[in-house]
Amino acid sequence: MSVATEYHLPEGTIGLEGPVVRPAPGTLPLRGDLAHIALAGRYLAAHYVVPQPREIGPEGAALHLIPRDDSEVVVRLDAGTAVEALDYAGDWCWATRGPEGPSGYLRTALLAP
């Protein structure tokens, strides 16, 4: 397991002032329904997630834009690379290297136990 990074929960009302340019897919850990807690106040999402520290297993892993093996690969991660898991759905995990990305989907089986 990777070293835990502490993220502080925002205090008070979270809001945005003026328009915000949406980042390109695969960059910041931001989806319409979820965002990394460190992005609260910078980007609007329905829910903010405090990430779970994980590590890439011995086979390494590819972060995909969508949870499909044949989708575009954002980045390939070596064994032992620290990642932050944000969401699990079926055999896939939406993860990021940190609040500034990159982010994408990887097979949960490729995470270290």
Side-chain angles (χ1 to χ4, degrees):
M1 192 135 137
S2 61
V3 177
T5 302
E6 223 177 281
Y7 293 105
H8 301 285
L9 299 176
E11 296 180 16
T13 304
I14 297 174
L16 301 176
E17 295 179 14
V20 175
V21 176
R22 187 163 186 85
T27 57
L28 299 182
L30 173 68
R31 301 187 320 204
D33 62 332
L34 289 177
H36 193 292
I37 189 66
L39 300 180
R42 289 175 45 198
Y43 295 94
L44 184 61
H47 303 280
Y48 296 95
V49 179
V50 175
Q52 175 188 24
R54 297 294 303 265
E55 189 174 286
I56 300 298
E59 296 178 32
L63 279 182
H64 293 265
L65 272 183
I66 59 174
R68 288 181 33 171
D69 290 319
D70 62 351
S71 73
E72 182 180 338
V73 173
V74 175
V75 67
R76 296 195 183 279
L77 302 172
D78 295 329
T81 300
V83 294
E84 297 179 352
L86 300 165
D87 189 28
Y88 296 92
D91 295 335
W92 293 89
C93 171
W94 182 49
T96 184
R97 289 280 293 127
E100 298 304 316
S103 64
Y105 296 88
L106 58 90
R107 289 217 169 256
T108 305
L110 296 175
L111 292 168

